[in-house]
Structure formats: C-alpha cells, structure tokens
Amino acid sequence: MSGLKQRLNSGELVIGTWVKTPQPIIVEVLSLTELDCLVLDAEHAPFDRGSMDACLAVQGRVPVLVRTPTSSPEHVLQALDSGAVGLVVPHIRSAEEARQLVQSTRYVSGGRGYAGSSRAAGYGTKGMERHRRDSQDVIVIAQIEDVSAVESIDEIAAVEGIDALFIGRADLTVALGAATPDDPAVVAAVQKICAAGAAAGRRVGMFLQRAGDAAEWQEQGATLFLLQSDHDFLRAGANALTAAVKHRGGGALV
C-alpha cells in the first residue's frame, strides 16, 4: 500500500492544496514544502492531457492526485496512466456511480483499460503482474456536492473501494440554494456526510475557506483537508511583501 493511502486509511491528518496552474515547476516547488499531497485541479483549471502528464512527471516527495473533469472512464484512465497516485472525482451522486468509478480504476472485466507502456506501468518495465498489483494502491475519493448525493450518502459510503468522501462545499451551497457555505442547511449536510463516513469506515475530506475551521471538522471525523491553492499562495505572498515594505518605508515604494 502506498504511503499516502496508508496514512489516509489509518485516519492520519492529511493536508494538501490545489494546483491551478498547469506548469510542472509549480509542482516541483510545492514538493519542497511540508504539504502531504497536491491535487491537480483538472476540473476547474486549464489542464489538458499534456500539461497534466508534465506535472505528474515531476512529482517527488509530495504525492500528486488529480481532480478529474468528470467521472468518465476516459478521464480516470488518462490521470492514472500518467501516474496520479489517486483521484478526486466530482459529482458522484449515487452508489451506482460510486461503483462505476471504482471499477474504472481497477484492472477487471469492463474496468480500466490496460497499457504496459504508460508511466504508471514504468514504461514497460513493471510487467503485468506487478502493475496490476500496484494499481490496487490507487486512492479513490468521491466528491459529494449534490443534493441527491447527500440523500444517498449512506449507500455511497458503503461502496467497497471508495477510500474517502470529499465534500464539495461550494457546489453543495449552490445545490441547496443557500447564500453561503455557513448556511445552516449546508452545515447540516456536511455533518450528515461526516456521520455517514464514520459509520461506513470511510475517511472524509473537505475544502474550507477558513483553515482555522479544520479543528472543528476534525472533531466530527474529517481527516483530509485540501486548503487554498497555488494561486492563493502567490496572491498572499505578493500582498504580504508589498504591505511589509510599504509599512516599513512609511508609505510609497521607490
């Protein structure tokens, strides 16, 4: 079992961030940090097959997952063949969709198409037996962000092969017609997902606008937090630098 999957399954706290810029240097730099994982956001950022492949090629100490554009077998296959250690798959709405997702990550009849020449297969050096065995380490995370998913959450959480439920709180806010992610209806839905994960022995993850809220949700069983992004770090760092120099210099920059 891969290190990250073992840590996730054991209930260890896992902290990651989104990568929104489709450039491998971003992955290289963030791999020098203390983050536990990175997630390429191929759903909302401009990753194509080539840029995703390039970013996965440079992953080092910090393992890299991919949030796929959809749950289609094609998108799952491309991310895994390129070497992603796991997937965060959006809009899983039912137990059947969760089962189909798991099947598309496995070398079984009707599942993941086999290629022995991919990066995941060591470019032909692993051999079929080892590559198929290694594929069992793929981390499969179902993103829960629809009303129907919340209504079916106990059944989704019970699907074998789903490693974690990831709460898409922003889309859940929209789906519930709420004004903010702090709306009581949204909070109640998040609590319901956490409870379902705990009951089924599945880990629960989430994105939070405020990193300080993580302690509250840890108490309810969440152990995976994907917080901020490379864009946030760039913006915050630039603003902090500018503010520090302006404050120290008494005003204008020369």
Side-chain angles (χ1 to χ4, degrees):
M1 184 179 293
S2 69
L4 181 61
K5 183 161 182 166
Q6 187 172 31
R7 293 175 65 190
L8 183 65
N9 288 347
S10 70
E12 185 176 335
L13 179 63
V14 174
I15 306 297
T17 196
W18 302 103
V19 175
K20 304 280 189 176
T21 308
Q23 292 292 335
I25 290 175
I26 298 295
V27 173
E28 284 189 291
V29 172
L30 289 176
S31 290
L32 299 173
T33 70
E34 296 303 312
L35 288 165
D36 298 310
C37 66
L38 307 174
V39 184
L40 307 183
D41 190 2
E43 182 187 16
H44 291 299
F47 284 90
D48 57 20
R49 177 70 184 270
S51 58
M52 178 180 68
D53 185 82
C55 287
L56 289 168
V58 300
Q59 64 180 309
R61 187 195 68 81
V62 180
V64 182
L65 299 86
V66 172
R67 176 157 70 177
T68 55
T70 71
S71 61
S72 74
E74 175 187 5
H75 289 143
V76 168
L77 176 67
Q78 290 179 356
L80 295 182
D81 275 3
S82 295
V85 302
L87 307 171
V88 180
V89 180
H91 295 291
I92 299 300
R93 303 177 179 91
S94 67
E96 179 56 31
E97 289 186 353
R99 282 190 287 269
Q100 290 174 357
L101 168 59
V102 173
Q103 180 172 316
S104 69
T105 70
R106 303 290 197 254
Y107 287 124
V108 296
S109 177
R112 177 179 172 185
Y114 183 84
S117 58
S118 65
R119 175 180 296 117
Y123 298 111
T125 64
K126 279 189 175 182
M128 180 176 281
E129 181 180 357
R130 180 184 166 196
H131 181 37
R132 292 174 67 181
R133 184 175 65 248
D134 288 350
S135 72
Q136 299 300 310
D137 282 348
V138 168
I139 299 166
V140 183
I141 301 174
Q143 189 158 309
I144 308 299
E145 50 195 339
D146 300 278
V147 173
S148 57
V150 177
E151 293 171 345
S152 302
I153 192 58
D154 291 329
E155 292 80 9
I156 294 172
V159 172
E160 190 66 30
I162 295 294
D163 292 296
L165 308 170
F166 187 82
I167 302 168
R169 196 159 171 171
D171 275 353
L172 196 54
T173 300
V174 173
L176 290 168
T180 76
D182 295 320
D183 187 282
V186 179
V187 173
V190 175
Q191 291 172 332
K192 182 176 180 179
I193 297 165
C194 288
R202 305 289 179 227
R203 301 306 167 190
V204 175
M206 62 183 70
F207 169 81
L208 295 170
Q209 291 180 317
R210 299 178 298 268
D213 291 348
E216 172 189 347
W217 291 107
Q218 277 185 268
E219 293 178 357
Q220 300 206 37
T223 59
L224 169 64
F225 295 95
L226 302 179
L227 306 173
Q228 300 190 23
S229 71
D230 55 327
H231 290 181
D232 292 314
F233 303 147
L234 285 166
R235 192 171 58 248
N239 286 337
L241 175 66
T242 304
V245 175
K246 281 184 176 181
H247 176 74
R248 184 168 182 170
L253 291 172
V254 178

